[in-house]
Amino acid sequence: MNTFGDILRLTTFGESHGVAIGGVLDGFPAGIDVDVEFIQSELNRRRPGQSALTTARAEDDRVEILSGVFEGKSTGTPIAFEVRNENQRSGDYSELKDIFRPSHADYTYMKKYGIRDYAGGGRASARTTIAQVAGGAFAKLLLRRIGVRVYAYTSQVGDIALHLPYQSLDLEAIESNAVRCPDAQTAERMAQEILRVKAEGDTVGGIISCVIKGCPVGLGEPQFGKLHAKLAGAMLSINAVKGFDYGCGFDGVTKRGSELNDIFECKPDGSIGTRTNHSGGVQGGISNGEDIYFRVAFKPVPTLLKDQESVDTEGRAVTYKARGRHDACVLPRAVPIVDAMAALVVADAYLMSKASGAFTVECLP
Amino acid sequence: MNTFGDILRLTTFGESHGVAIGGVLDGFPAGIDVDVEFIQSELNRRRPGQSALTTARAEDDRVEILSGVFEGKSTGTPIAFEVRNENQRSGDYSELKDIFRPSHADYTYMKKYGIRDYAGGGRASARTTIAQVAGGAFAKLLLRRIGVRVYAYTSQVGDIALHLPYQSLDLEAIESNAVRCPDAQTAERMAQEILRVKAEGDTVGGIISCVIKGCPVGLGEPQFGKLHAKLAGAMLSINAVKGFDYGCGFDGVTKRGSELNDIFECKPDGSIGTRTNHSGGVQGGISNGEDIYFRVAFKPVPTLLKDQESVDTEGRAVTYKARGRHDACVLPRAVPIVDAMAALVVADAYLMSKASGAFTVECLP
Amino acid sequence: MNTFGDILRLTTFGESHGVAIGGVLDGFPAGIDVDVEFIQSELNRRRPGQSALTTARAEDDRVEILSGVFEGKSTGTPIAFEVRNENQRSGDYSELKDIFRPSHADYTYMKKYGIRDYAGGGRASARTTIAQVAGGAFAKLLLRRIGVRVYAYTSQVGDIALHLPYQSLDLEAIESNAVRCPDAQTAERMAQEILRVKAEGDTVGGIISCVIKGCPVGLGEPQFGKLHAKLAGAMLSINAVKGFDYGCGFDGVTKRGSELNDIFECKPDGSIGTRTNHSGGVQGGISNGEDIYFRVAFKPVPTLLKDQESVDTEGRAVTYKARGRHDACVLPRAVPIVDAMAALVVADAYLMSKASGAFTVECLP
Amino acid sequence: MNTFGDILRLTTFGESHGVAIGGVLDGFPAGIDVDVEFIQSELNRRRPGQSALTTARAEDDRVEILSGVFEGKSTGTPIAFEVRNENQRSGDYSELKDIFRPSHADYTYMKKYGIRDYAGGGRASARTTIAQVAGGAFAKLLLRRIGVRVYAYTSQVGDIALHLPYQSLDLEAIESNAVRCPDAQTAERMAQEILRVKAEGDTVGGIISCVIKGCPVGLGEPQFGKLHAKLAGAMLSINAVKGFDYGCGFDGVTKRGSELNDIFECKPDGSIGTRTNHSGGVQGGISNGEDIYFRVAFKPVPTLLKDQESVDTEGRAVTYKARGRHDACVLPRAVPIVDAMAALVVADAYLMSKASGAFTVECLP
């Protein structure tokens, strides 16, 4: 299933070593200015070779838009886009043809499909997230129009955690360092950790936090389209993700209800808000106008530059050692993917809400 | 959006104080023996009034099947079922008409729909999970046919955590105590904690763990129908859930890749398995035949028997105190809901896999 | 697949001789006054035993609403409804257990599902259209709010055709006779034909025409959600339907483009309309504000009160003669089903259009 | 809505004068040999400039596959393909910017989206059916594996109708003339008619018939996924289509049930078949193993080389005359589109049937 969304639907395609990676975004409303440079800039955030922290593969990744945009505006017709694969060295992978790499998707793809594109990760490669990031960039253009902003950032790498709540962070500073952590001191410690692990030929995981500001009230479709459930499904679809929580999250399980309830109050402008926000901006699966914040847990990726045992397709024991160019920690490059998926979820929920509130509520913007 | 699933589709309906709660299960294969007593027993697990630990409301909750079953077998046509609401005291809720209860869905439902059924929780009430539990019971009947078993259990209440890995637990003992924790000592400590919190008029959260055994290889549909992502979306749709993780989960973020990779090996029967299982039975979004295990974090529910501040629909400050009969901790009653959603996800993925592997792989059972 | 619609989704259930027939309508907007008597009156139109022309079976068919309505208004939550089966004589059908009746669904259901409910038509029975008619009644309540009206009527029975264009008919007179043909003289001839055929123990087909007035501009979602394509799929889902055309339809194939093009002109109120309407109110798959009109072809139903040859489940030749009470011509009772499906299509398209036209066009009502 | 299908999902994109036209085919099973020359040959059937009968526009239309195929076989991952637009003369259309051409989609697209790509037909152009034809070619590759063959052909142009039943036609001869009518004499008369109309600067319509042979029993998902209803929705999505019927179709409305019922009988090989086939191979919405046959009515296309009145975007009267290169009759070029949509419907239904018949019926191939 390669389509994400109900009204705003992104269908992705492409393998790491195929001709191209891209997508078709259907249901994007007409009349939105399509800022192609912005879309390219979002893809550039995802690209490897940006710093000493990430893999040295240089991938140009220029996006080309094939349809759905006319004289700089979306037409309401499907927007297709692609990035041609140019710097994928097939030679790095030829010995993988018959080996199931540990904790990769090689085995499961072979069992499910009976055939697998063994070059790089094929469809399972994180390179395919080019499509999600481009689709999410379009979603961000829509969200700009309604004043919603998405801020994903690295909040933990290995044991090094940013212990500040998001309210005290300068979220506009996320892009100021290679780790994408908005606290410079913590970012530096994280960077050192990544280099240390890289030198060991190993990998390390972490947590990406995300805040969505300015979300209108009323987004989310209970019972099975609850906004936070859509975010969870979106985040768990990203490579290497092992967990998701929002609002008080896993930390809330040891608390009392009396500690966590968010008291309603009337705000200066006459609207209703909450004094605290343990809910995370969503109640009963519907946005309540407060900040939406969540965390995404990433495991250390499985491609190590160390010998590992495995088996081949005949079940015989083999030794496998990755070659080529790989990331010791994917968190910095995953930040734009979390951004993108969050933007797609909220934009889709926004469009859906226009259909569901048709007769009684004052119009959403 | 009240339909869950792609092939096996459960559509739910009903409010806590409406005429009935129920659902329609479409896409259920023909020829399965429908054990109505089993379905009723699953619903009985969810019912309140089972012990001193849960609310004293007595709800009989007899399920009636309206279609889709003939001479005791499923026909392949939609199966509708309902439970009539009989013991819902409307009088307990009349003062709620104009109050937004803290951390409930009252405010968001009113803003989204412009109208809300203020009796109990209306559509947002956990009582509506009758439909999920019944639908999940049907899914379990299908899973029995292919040797898959689902075991959800309470693994944490407040600070009291079960520190044993699931492999050392007797999963058949889950139903042996009211808490639904398979370790008797921990269950007793959990029960005492719940009674303590109840006496305070407060509420407490916890974690439900779940193990799925016997899942065939090949279930899950990358990129957006990954099996673990479907589980995440399913669990986050349950009332009071704030988080989900699977396999090494959030604990894995501090580990190295070399610690977490699951080495493939040839098992005695000639099939391929993994020596360890940090992956949690899913790789690349597709089941690999190993146990699937995950955790679901529940916040303390917001209905407290203590005074709380709030506002009414005009924005004026009010004091609100819940009356009626409520749970201090929903974990024991939520265990069958986690079971049910897991069963629905796996059964749906199983049916979908029959469509996707059509031409190359050896048949799944 | 028992769900119809994309935003306004009707899921149906029930067999002719099961416990109940009904549905769940999800995505119905909040705040609509639910006129239960109107819904019952639409179901009454579908009921048998209304005249000498239709089967003598008396079916009370009282609808009960189970959810989604509060203090007389829709809440935006799913609306479940059911009609209990009370007057279904199982004894009429017992010899059918092992026979495949000609041109019925007996054989195909047995082959597809391996099991069939042989009482009456089971799930394939036209009695199940109770669900579509009730769902369509809700859709009509929504359409009233935006000034859209649906008029289905019998325009042909056997060789007897109404040769007047709909513009010259009194569409408010459809209910004035049992045939549901708005021209009294033609209706009388049709009635005589039906009685003649009934006396022969045979059946006859016909055509139902339908006009949708007041449809706003902009409904329909190219390329695969074109409004007329949705109507076609909806009509072909009705029992006994063999064809659909709209606008100039099959008659247009012998015409020239110069004869059929609808010239645009500026109407007195300043809006744009067309001088003629061969298009049938839809251009490029999107409504243009003109009347939408289409025809639905019904074959004579297969249940005859005459001997027929057939085979049993073992392939052995048998003679089969229907007993019980049946219609010689289903057209009069099918008119409300055509109405209902048209209403569901247009209401769904209306809600979808609110999502797709979000940023540039003037708001639809 | 630009995605067609439930399991085998084709998402299309592209405008007549945009960068490219193409699609993404998701859910295509793994292990199918992808015969790229066959796919190109199907696209070549659709191309203009093939004969004096069609428009003189020369379009090379080379398809490029971007993903989902590895070493010549499908991988089960999404297959993206595109055709770059190269010979689209924008200059032919510049005066159309402010004119609503009669019976085109100009007006409705402008009203719905607030913006339209006025070059050629934009998204509404029949050139976009490149995507359907390519997707359908993949579907045909799957159908070859299970012995299903699709034969669409021109059976009527204007008043000139092929009066032979399909059983007496050589369906392998469809490609032997430019009209794609398998009876040489009728084909010649049709060709003359087209040239005559072309010389007048006018257009003419017709009917395409289609036969699907070898369809297995059990395809189709009642109530709303009935096989014939899916075919209807698919055909009505094609440009210029005004009607659909199958089996006895509109002709059956004047017949008696006793004339049309298809008597079951045991065939020489022991299987059950029908002596006649007025049903058209589908009963109760499910295929019964007999030939499926249907007709698609095409109106004359609206682009005339004659003066026509119209209005501009301000509502002012204008005269409009098409220039450029156009078809007098689209039937010959629409035959491969009907083929393609039929193949997509059947292939999708086949894959869906593997999920729905899981436990009781003998395996479909």
Side-chain angles (χ1 to χ4, degrees):
Chain A
M1 166 49 84
N2 291 279
T3 299
F4 182 80
D6 297 313
I7 304 273
L8 183 66
R9 290 177 301 278
L10 175 69
T11 299
T12 65
F13 68 83
E15 295 89 41
S16 58
H17 288 69
V19 176
I21 289 171
V24 180
L25 187 65
D26 193 16
F28 193 74
I32 308 268
D33 290 301
V34 175
D35 181 348
V36 187
E37 284 317 304
F38 171 71
I39 294 165
Q40 186 62 56
S41 73
E42 287 286 289
L43 282 173
N44 294 346
R45 296 177 72 206
R46 192 211 81 67
R47 233 173 26 185
Q50 297 174 62
S51 72
L53 300 180
T54 69
T55 172
R57 288 196 312 276
E59 294 165 358
D60 210 27
D61 292 349
R62 301 297 305 178
V63 68
E64 181 184 16
I65 293 175
L66 307 178
S67 65
V69 180
F70 183 71
E71 295 178 350
K73 288 186 192 295
S74 60
T75 56
T77 64
I79 300 172
F81 55 85
E82 69 189 40
V83 169
R84 298 260 160 173
N85 284 324
E86 283 153 18
N87 190 0
Q88 307 309 114
R89 296 182 197 167
S90 288
D92 283 344
Y93 299 108
S94 51
E95 78 279 8
L96 296 182
K97 185 171 180 298
D98 298 310
I99 292 177
F100 296 134
R101 295 169 296 171
S103 283
H104 280 74
D106 303 350
Y107 173 67
T108 51
Y109 268 60
M110 179 59 88
K111 288 291 287 186
K112 182 177 180 73
Y113 299 114
I115 175 175
R116 72 176 178 110
D117 175 348
Y118 59 83
R123 181 74 180 143
S125 162
R127 182 166 166 73
T128 63
T129 58
I130 279 172
Q132 281 87 321
V133 173
F138 279 96
K140 283 187 169 187
L141 292 176
L142 187 163
L143 294 180
R144 274 183 190 175
R145 290 284 294 262
I146 57 169
V148 177
R149 295 141 290 147
V150 178
Y151 299 97
Y153 59 92
T154 304
S155 57
Q156 184 163 339
V157 169
D159 289 306
I160 299 160
L162 176 57
H163 290 296
L164 298 168
Y166 75 83
Q167 294 88 332
S168 62
L169 298 172
D170 176 8
L171 297 175
E172 305 299 335
I174 290 166
E175 288 302 289
S176 64
N177 60 70
V179 178
R180 294 199 167 102
C181 172
D183 179 74
Q185 283 192 315
T186 312
E188 182 54 32
R189 293 171 53 218
M190 289 172 167
Q192 292 307 320
E193 178 70 1
I194 293 172
L195 291 171
R196 191 161 33 242
V197 173
K198 188 172 181 180
E200 292 168 12
D202 212 330
T203 57
V204 66
I207 294 177
I208 289 176
S209 294
C210 186
V211 185
I212 303 170
K213 287 184 165 290
C215 191
V217 183
L219 270 49
E221 304 297 325
Q223 289 184 337
F224 298 115
K226 287 179 177 179
L227 190 64
H228 62 284
K230 287 283 187 175
L231 286 169
M235 300 306 148
L236 268 292
S237 80
I238 301 172
N239 302 56
V241 170
K242 300 303 284 188
F244 167 92
D245 72 2
Y246 85 107
C248 55
F250 272 91
D251 287 344
V253 311
T254 57
K255 305 286 196 294
R256 294 288 191 270
S258 58
E259 298 176 79
L260 289 185
N261 275 3
D262 297 317
I263 303 303
F264 285 108
E265 56 182 18
C266 207
K267 295 191 298 197
D269 66 359
S271 68
I272 290 174
T274 58
R275 188 177 305 165
T276 52
N277 183 21
H278 301 290
S279 297
V282 181
Q283 293 176 326
I286 299 169
S287 58
N288 70 354
E290 300 292 335
D291 293 338
I292 297 170
Y293 62 95
F294 60 88
R295 301 186 310 157
V296 186
F298 284 78
K299 68 170 188 178
V301 291
T303 308
L304 317 177
L305 299 178
K306 292 183 173 197
D307 284 352
Q308 295 185 83
E309 299 169 66
S310 194
V311 297
D312 66 10
T313 54
E314 302 298 317
R316 294 173 304 215
V318 297
T319 300
Y320 155 69
K321 178 170 181 175
R323 285 186 307 197
R325 309 157 290 174
H326 300 280
D327 290 282
C329 178
V330 297
L331 279 271
R333 293 180 59 205
V335 163
I337 309 171
V338 171
D339 254 8
M341 295 311 297
L344 284 165
V345 167
V346 178
D348 188 35
Y350 169 72
L351 295 175
M352 180 61 89
S353 73
K354 308 215 62 142
S356 57
F359 284 86
T360 57
V361 296
E362 63 271 20
C363 280
L364 297 167
Chain B
M1 164 49 83
N2 292 280
T3 298
F4 182 80
D6 297 311
I7 304 274
L8 183 66
R9 291 179 302 278
L10 175 68
T11 299
T12 65
F13 67 84
E15 296 89 41
S16 58
H17 288 69
V19 175
I21 289 170
V24 180
L25 187 66
D26 194 17
F28 193 74
I32 308 268
D33 291 302
V34 175
D35 181 347
V36 186
E37 283 318 304
F38 172 72
I39 295 165
Q40 185 62 56
S41 72
E42 287 286 290
L43 283 173
N44 294 346
R45 296 177 73 206
R46 193 209 113 329
R47 233 173 28 185
Q50 296 174 66
S51 72
L53 300 180
T54 67
T55 172
R57 290 197 310 278
E59 294 166 357
D60 209 27
D61 292 349
R62 300 296 305 178
V63 67
E64 182 184 16
I65 293 174
L66 306 178
S67 66
V69 182
F70 184 70
E71 296 179 350
K73 289 187 191 293
S74 60
T75 57
T77 64
I79 300 172
F81 55 85
E82 68 189 42
V83 169
R84 298 259 160 173
N85 284 323
E86 284 152 16
N87 190 0
Q88 307 310 115
R89 296 184 197 165
S90 287
D92 282 344
Y93 298 110
S94 50
E95 78 280 9
L96 297 181
K97 185 169 180 299
D98 297 311
I99 291 177
F100 295 134
R101 295 170 296 170
S103 283
H104 280 74
D106 303 349
Y107 172 67
T108 50
Y109 268 60
M110 179 59 88
K111 289 289 288 185
K112 182 177 181 73
Y113 299 113
I115 176 175
R116 73 176 177 110
D117 175 349
Y118 58 84
R123 181 74 179 143
S125 161
R127 180 166 168 72
T128 65
T129 58
I130 278 172
Q132 281 87 321
V133 173
F138 279 96
K140 284 186 168 186
L141 292 176
L142 188 163
L143 293 180
R144 275 184 189 173
R145 290 285 293 262
I146 58 170
V148 178
R149 295 141 291 146
V150 179
Y151 299 97
Y153 59 93
T154 304
S155 57
Q156 185 163 339
V157 169
D159 289 306
I160 298 159
L162 176 56
H163 289 296
L164 299 168
Y166 74 84
Q167 294 88 332
S168 62
L169 298 172
D170 176 7
L171 297 175
E172 305 299 335
I174 291 167
E175 288 303 290
S176 64
N177 60 70
V179 178
R180 294 197 167 103
C181 172
D183 178 72
Q185 282 192 316
T186 313
E188 182 54 32
R189 293 170 54 216
M190 288 170 168
Q192 293 306 321
E193 177 71 2
I194 294 172
L195 291 171
R196 193 161 32 241
V197 173
K198 188 172 181 180
E200 292 168 13
D202 213 331
T203 58
V204 66
I207 295 177
I208 288 175
S209 294
C210 187
V211 186
I212 303 170
K213 288 183 163 291
C215 191
V217 184
L219 269 50
E221 304 295 324
Q223 290 183 335
F224 299 116
K226 288 180 177 179
L227 191 63
H228 61 285
K230 287 284 187 175
L231 286 169
M235 300 305 148
L236 269 292
S237 79
I238 301 172
N239 302 57
V241 170
K242 301 302 284 188
F244 168 92
D245 72 1
Y246 84 106
C248 53
F250 272 92
D251 287 344
V253 311
T254 58
K255 304 287 196 294
R256 293 288 191 271
S258 58
E259 298 177 79
L260 289 185
N261 275 3
D262 297 317
I263 302 305
F264 284 108
E265 56 183 19
C266 206
K267 297 193 295 199
D269 67 358
S271 68
I272 291 175
T274 58
R275 187 176 304 166
T276 52
N277 184 19
H278 302 288
S279 298
V282 181
Q283 295 176 325
I286 298 169
S287 59
N288 70 355
E290 300 292 336
D291 293 337
I292 297 170
Y293 61 96
F294 60 88
R295 301 187 308 159
V296 186
F298 285 78
K299 68 170 188 179
V301 292
T303 307
L304 316 176
L305 299 177
K306 291 185 176 197
D307 284 352
Q308 294 184 84
E309 299 168 66
S310 195
V311 295
D312 66 11
T313 53
E314 301 297 318
R316 294 174 302 216
V318 296
T319 300
Y320 153 68
K321 178 171 181 175
R323 286 186 305 199
R325 308 156 291 172
H326 299 280
D327 290 283
C329 178
V330 296
L331 279 272
R333 293 181 59 206
V335 162
I337 310 171
V338 171
D339 253 8
M341 295 310 297
L344 284 165
V345 167
V346 178
D348 188 35
Y350 169 72
L351 293 176
M352 179 63 88
S353 73
K354 308 214 62 140
S356 57
F359 283 86
T360 57
V361 297
E362 64 272 19
C363 278
L364 297 168
Chain C
M1 165 49 84
N2 292 279
T3 299
F4 182 81
D6 298 311
I7 304 273
L8 182 66
R9 291 177 301 278
L10 174 69
T11 300
T12 65
F13 68 84
E15 296 88 41
S16 58
H17 289 68
V19 175
I21 291 171
V24 180
L25 188 64
D26 194 16
F28 193 74
I32 309 268
D33 290 301
V34 175
D35 181 347
V36 186
E37 283 317 306
F38 171 72
I39 295 165
Q40 186 62 54
S41 72
E42 287 285 291
L43 283 173
N44 294 345
R45 296 177 73 205
R46 193 213 77 77
R47 232 172 29 184
Q50 295 175 65
S51 72
L53 300 180
T54 68
T55 173
R57 291 196 308 278
E59 295 166 356
D60 209 28
D61 292 349
R62 301 296 306 178
V63 68
E64 181 185 16
I65 293 174
L66 307 178
S67 65
V69 181
F70 183 70
E71 295 179 350
K73 288 185 191 293
S74 60
T75 57
T77 64
I79 299 172
F81 56 85
E82 67 189 42
V83 169
R84 299 261 159 171
N85 284 322
E86 283 154 15
N87 190 359
Q88 307 311 114
R89 297 184 194 165
S90 287
D92 282 343
Y93 298 110
S94 50
E95 79 280 10
L96 296 182
K97 185 171 179 300
D98 298 310
I99 292 177
F100 296 133
R101 295 169 298 170
S103 283
H104 280 73
D106 304 348
Y107 172 67
T108 50
Y109 268 61
M110 179 58 88
K111 289 289 288 184
K112 182 176 180 76
Y113 300 113
I115 175 175
R116 72 175 178 110
D117 175 348
Y118 60 83
R123 181 73 180 143
S125 162
R127 181 164 168 73
T128 64
T129 57
I130 278 171
Q132 281 86 321
V133 173
F138 279 96
K140 284 186 169 186
L141 292 176
L142 188 163
L143 293 179
R144 275 185 189 173
R145 290 285 294 262
I146 58 169
V148 178
R149 295 142 289 148
V150 178
Y151 299 96
Y153 59 92
T154 303
S155 57
Q156 185 163 339
V157 169
D159 289 306
I160 299 160
L162 176 58
H163 289 297
L164 298 168
Y166 74 84
Q167 294 88 331
S168 62
L169 299 172
D170 176 7
L171 298 175
E172 305 297 336
I174 291 167
E175 288 303 289
S176 64
N177 60 70
V179 178
R180 294 197 167 103
C181 172
D183 178 74
Q185 282 192 315
T186 312
E188 183 53 31
R189 294 170 54 217
M190 288 170 167
Q192 293 306 321
E193 177 71 1
I194 293 172
L195 290 172
R196 193 161 31 241
V197 173
K198 188 172 179 180
E200 292 168 13
D202 212 332
T203 58
V204 64
I207 295 177
I208 289 175
S209 295
C210 186
V211 186
I212 302 170
K213 288 183 162 290
C215 191
V217 184
L219 270 49
E221 303 297 324
Q223 288 182 337
F224 298 115
K226 288 180 177 179
L227 191 63
H228 62 284
K230 287 285 187 174
L231 286 168
M235 300 304 148
L236 269 292
S237 79
I238 301 172
N239 303 56
V241 170
K242 300 302 285 188
F244 168 93
D245 71 1
Y246 83 108
C248 54
F250 273 91
D251 286 344
V253 311
T254 58
K255 305 284 196 295
R256 294 287 191 269
S258 57
E259 298 177 79
L260 289 185
N261 276 2
D262 297 318
I263 303 303
F264 284 108
E265 57 183 18
C266 206
K267 297 191 296 198
D269 66 359
S271 69
I272 290 173
T274 58
R275 188 176 303 167
T276 52
N277 184 20
H278 302 289
S279 298
V282 181
Q283 294 175 326
I286 298 168
S287 60
N288 70 355
E290 301 291 336
D291 293 338
I292 298 170
Y293 62 96
F294 60 88
R295 301 187 309 157
V296 187
F298 284 79
K299 68 171 188 177
V301 291
T303 308
L304 316 176
L305 299 178
K306 292 185 174 195
D307 283 353
Q308 294 184 85
E309 300 168 66
S310 194
V311 295
D312 66 10
T313 54
E314 301 298 318
R316 293 173 304 214
V318 297
T319 300
Y320 154 68
K321 177 171 181 174
R323 287 186 305 197
R325 308 157 291 174
H326 300 279
D327 289 282
C329 178
V330 296
L331 278 273
R333 292 180 59 206
V335 162
I337 309 171
V338 171
D339 253 9
M341 295 310 299
L344 283 164
V345 167
V346 177
D348 188 34
Y350 169 71
L351 294 175
M352 179 62 88
S353 72
K354 307 213 61 138
S356 54
F359 284 89
T360 57
V361 295
E362 64 271 20
C363 278
L364 295 171
Chain D
M1 165 50 83
N2 292 278
T3 300
F4 182 80
D6 298 312
I7 302 276
L8 182 67
R9 290 178 302 278
L10 174 69
T11 299
T12 65
F13 67 84
E15 295 89 42
S16 57
H17 288 69
V19 175
I21 291 171
V24 181
L25 187 65
D26 193 17
F28 193 74
I32 307 267
D33 291 301
V34 175
D35 181 347
V36 186
E37 284 317 305
F38 172 72
I39 293 165
Q40 186 62 56
S41 72
E42 287 286 290
L43 282 173
N44 294 346
R45 297 177 72 204
R46 193 213 77 77
R47 233 173 28 185
Q50 297 174 64
S51 71
L53 300 180
T54 68
T55 172
R57 289 197 310 278
E59 294 165 359
D60 209 26
D61 292 349
R62 300 296 304 178
V63 68
E64 180 184 17
I65 293 174
L66 307 178
S67 66
V69 181
F70 184 71
E71 295 179 350
K73 288 186 191 294
S74 59
T75 57
T77 63
I79 299 173
F81 55 84
E82 68 188 40
V83 169
R84 297 260 159 173
N85 284 324
E86 283 153 17
N87 190 0
Q88 306 311 114
R89 296 183 196 165
S90 287
D92 282 345
Y93 298 109
S94 50
E95 78 280 7
L96 297 182
K97 185 172 179 298
D98 297 309
I99 291 177
F100 296 134
R101 295 169 296 170
S103 284
H104 280 72
D106 303 349
Y107 172 66
T108 51
Y109 268 61
M110 180 58 88
K111 288 291 287 184
K112 182 176 180 71
Y113 299 113
I115 176 175
R116 73 176 177 110
D117 175 350
Y118 60 83
R123 182 73 181 143
S125 162
R127 181 166 167 73
T128 65
T129 58
I130 279 172
Q132 280 86 322
V133 173
F138 279 95
K140 283 186 169 186
L141 292 176
L142 187 162
L143 292 180
R144 275 184 190 173
R145 290 284 294 264
I146 58 170
V148 178
R149 295 143 289 147
V150 178
Y151 299 97
Y153 60 91
T154 303
S155 57
Q156 184 164 341
V157 169
D159 288 305
I160 299 160
L162 177 57
H163 289 295
L164 299 168
Y166 75 83
Q167 295 88 331
S168 62
L169 299 172
D170 176 6
L171 297 175
E172 304 299 335
I174 290 168
E175 287 303 287
S176 64
N177 59 70
V179 178
R180 294 200 166 101
C181 173
D183 178 73
Q185 282 192 316
T186 313
E188 183 52 34
R189 293 171 53 216
M190 288 170 167
Q192 293 306 321
E193 177 71 1
I194 293 172
L195 290 171
R196 193 160 33 242
V197 173
K198 188 173 181 180
E200 292 167 14
D202 213 329
T203 57
V204 65
I207 294 176
I208 289 176
S209 294
C210 186
V211 186
I212 303 170
K213 288 182 163 292
C215 190
V217 184
L219 270 50
E221 304 296 326
Q223 288 182 337
F224 299 115
K226 288 180 177 179
L227 190 63
H228 61 285
K230 286 286 188 174
L231 286 169
M235 300 305 149
L236 268 292
S237 80
I238 301 172
N239 302 56
V241 170
K242 300 304 285 189
F244 167 93
D245 72 2
Y246 84 106
C248 55
F250 273 92
D251 286 345
V253 309
T254 58
K255 305 284 196 295
R256 292 289 192 271
S258 57
E259 298 177 79
L260 289 185
N261 275 3
D262 296 318
I263 302 304
F264 284 108
E265 56 184 18
C266 206
K267 296 191 297 197
D269 67 359
S271 68
I272 290 174
T274 59
R275 188 177 303 166
T276 52
N277 183 20
H278 303 289
S279 297
V282 181
Q283 296 177 324
I286 298 169
S287 59
N288 70 354
E290 301 291 335
D291 293 338
I292 297 170
Y293 62 95
F294 60 89
R295 301 186 311 158
V296 186
F298 285 78
K299 68 170 187 178
V301 291
T303 308
L304 315 176
L305 299 178
K306 292 185 176 198
D307 283 352
Q308 295 184 85
E309 298 169 66
S310 194
V311 296
D312 66 11
T313 53
E314 301 296 318
R316 293 173 304 217
V318 297
T319 300
Y320 153 70
K321 178 172 181 174
R323 286 185 306 195
R325 308 157 290 173
H326 300 279
D327 290 282
C329 177
V330 296
L331 279 273
R333 294 179 60 205
V335 163
I337 309 170
V338 171
D339 254 8
M341 295 311 296
L344 284 165
V345 167
V346 178
D348 188 35
Y350 169 72
L351 294 176
M352 178 62 89
S353 72
K354 309 211 60 132
S356 56
F359 284 87
T360 57
V361 296
E362 62 272 20
C363 277
L364 295 169

